[in-house]
PDB file of all heavy atoms in Angstrom:
ATOM      1  N   ALA P 371      96.365 114.856 112.662  1.00  0.00           N
ATOM      2  CA  ALA P 371      94.937 114.693 112.939  1.00  0.00           C
ATOM      3  C   ALA P 371      94.139 115.758 112.196  1.00  0.00           C
ATOM      4  O   ALA P 371      94.558 116.919 112.112  1.00  0.00           O
ATOM      5  CB  ALA P 371      94.678 114.792 114.438  1.00  0.00           C
ATOM      6  N   GLY P 391     109.353 107.522 116.195  1.00  0.00           N
ATOM      7  CA  GLY P 391     110.209 106.669 115.384  1.00  0.00           C
ATOM      8  C   GLY P 391     110.183 107.176 113.953  1.00  0.00           C
ATOM      9  O   GLY P 391     109.236 107.856 113.531  1.00  0.00           O
ATOM     10  N   TYR P 411     108.422 102.110 110.610  1.00  0.00           N
ATOM     11  CA  TYR P 411     109.272 101.198 109.847  1.00  0.00           C
ATOM     12  C   TYR P 411     110.747 101.529 110.039  1.00  0.00           C
ATOM     13  O   TYR P 411     111.566 100.664 110.359  1.00  0.00           O
ATOM     14  CB  TYR P 411     108.904 101.270 108.363  1.00  0.00           C
ATOM     15  CG  TYR P 411     109.708 100.344 107.493  1.00  0.00           C
ATOM     16  CD1 TYR P 411     109.280  99.049 107.260  1.00  0.00           C
ATOM     17  CD2 TYR P 411     110.891 100.760 106.893  1.00  0.00           C
ATOM     18  CE1 TYR P 411     110.015  98.186 106.465  1.00  0.00           C
ATOM     19  CE2 TYR P 411     111.631  99.924 106.097  1.00  0.00           C
ATOM     20  CZ  TYR P 411     111.194  98.634 105.880  1.00  0.00           C
ATOM     21  OH  TYR P 411     111.929  97.789 105.100  1.00  0.00           O
ATOM     22  N   ALA P 417     104.093 102.771 118.778  1.00  0.00           N
ATOM     23  CA  ALA P 417     103.707 103.761 119.772  1.00  0.00           C
ATOM     24  C   ALA P 417     102.193 103.830 119.874  1.00  0.00           C
ATOM     25  O   ALA P 417     101.468 103.484 118.928  1.00  0.00           O
ATOM     26  CB  ALA P 417     104.272 105.138 119.408  1.00  0.00           C
ATOM     27  N   GLY P 451     114.568  81.965  91.655  1.00  0.00           N
ATOM     28  CA  GLY P 451     115.066  83.091  90.876  1.00  0.00           C
ATOM     29  C   GLY P 451     114.757  84.449  91.455  1.00  0.00           C
ATOM     30  O   GLY P 451     114.995  85.471  90.807  1.00  0.00           O
ATOM     31  N   SER P 498     101.509  95.685 127.143  1.00  0.00           N
ATOM     32  CA  SER P 498     102.419  94.815 127.895  1.00  0.00           C
ATOM     33  C   SER P 498     102.576  93.504 127.147  1.00  0.00           C
ATOM     34  O   SER P 498     101.603  92.944 126.615  1.00  0.00           O
ATOM     35  CB  SER P 498     101.889  94.558 129.301  1.00  0.00           C
ATOM     36  OG  SER P 498     100.579  94.022 129.279  1.00  0.00           O
ATOM     37  N   ILE P 506     105.576  85.358 117.590  1.00  0.00           N
ATOM     38  CA  ILE P 506     105.732  84.153 116.797  1.00  0.00           C
ATOM     39  C   ILE P 506     106.659  84.489 115.636  1.00  0.00           C
ATOM     40  O   ILE P 506     106.615  85.603 115.103  1.00  0.00           O
ATOM     41  CB  ILE P 506     104.377  83.606 116.307  1.00  0.00           C
ATOM     42  CG1 ILE P 506     104.541  82.209 115.724  1.00  0.00           C
ATOM     43  CG2 ILE P 506     103.721  84.543 115.307  1.00  0.00           C
ATOM     44  CD1 ILE P 506     103.231  81.465 115.566  1.00  0.00           C
ATOM     45  N   PRO P 521      86.368  87.435 109.547  1.00  0.00           N
ATOM     46  CA  PRO P 521      85.214  87.940 110.299  1.00  0.00           C
ATOM     47  C   PRO P 521      84.862  87.120 111.535  1.00  0.00           C
ATOM     48  O   PRO P 521      84.257  87.665 112.473  1.00  0.00           O
ATOM     49  CB  PRO P 521      84.083  87.897 109.261  1.00  0.00           C
ATOM     50  CG  PRO P 521      84.766  88.074 107.946  1.00  0.00           C
ATOM     51  CD  PRO P 521      86.075  87.355 108.092  1.00  0.00           C
ATOM     52  N   LEU P 526      93.714  84.311 111.522  1.00  0.00           N
ATOM     53  CA  LEU P 526      94.488  85.473 111.093  1.00  0.00           C
ATOM     54  C   LEU P 526      95.355  85.065 109.919  1.00  0.00           C
ATOM     55  O   LEU P 526      95.973  83.997 109.921  1.00  0.00           O
ATOM     56  CB  LEU P 526      95.355  86.007 112.238  1.00  0.00           C
ATOM     57  CG  LEU P 526      96.211  87.236 111.898  1.00  0.00           C
ATOM     58  CD1 LEU P 526      96.192  88.239 113.037  1.00  0.00           C
ATOM     59  CD2 LEU P 526      97.654  86.845 111.583  1.00  0.00           C
ATOM     60  N   THR P 553     100.848  77.613 105.147  1.00  0.00           N
ATOM     61  CA  THR P 553     101.581  78.641 104.412  1.00  0.00           C
ATOM     62  C   THR P 553     101.611  78.243 102.954  1.00  0.00           C
ATOM     63  O   THR P 553     101.894  77.083 102.629  1.00  0.00           O
ATOM     64  CB  THR P 553     103.027  78.797 104.928  1.00  0.00           C
ATOM     65  OG1 THR P 553     103.000  79.182 106.304  1.00  0.00           O
ATOM     66  CG2 THR P 553     103.773  79.860 104.139  1.00  0.00           C
ATOM     67  N   ALA P 582      97.942  91.557  97.124  1.00  0.00           N
ATOM     68  CA  ALA P 582      98.464  92.388  96.041  1.00  0.00           C
ATOM     69  C   ALA P 582      99.941  92.099  95.837  1.00  0.00           C
ATOM     70  O   ALA P 582     100.702  91.928  96.793  1.00  0.00           O
ATOM     71  CB  ALA P 582      98.254  93.866  96.360  1.00  0.00           C
ATOM     72  N   THR P 636      92.589 101.672  89.886  1.00  0.00           N
ATOM     73  CA  THR P 636      91.681 100.896  89.042  1.00  0.00           C
ATOM     74  C   THR P 636      90.623 100.248  89.919  1.00  0.00           C
ATOM     75  O   THR P 636      90.877  99.914  91.083  1.00  0.00           O
ATOM     76  CB  THR P 636      92.437  99.813  88.254  1.00  0.00           C
ATOM     77  OG1 THR P 636      93.295  99.079  89.150  1.00  0.00           O
ATOM     78  CG2 THR P 636      93.277 100.428  87.161  1.00  0.00           C
TER      79      THR P 636
END
Side-chain angles (χ1 to χ4, degrees):
Y411 181 89
S498 56
I506 191 165
L526 180 138
T553 299
T636 49

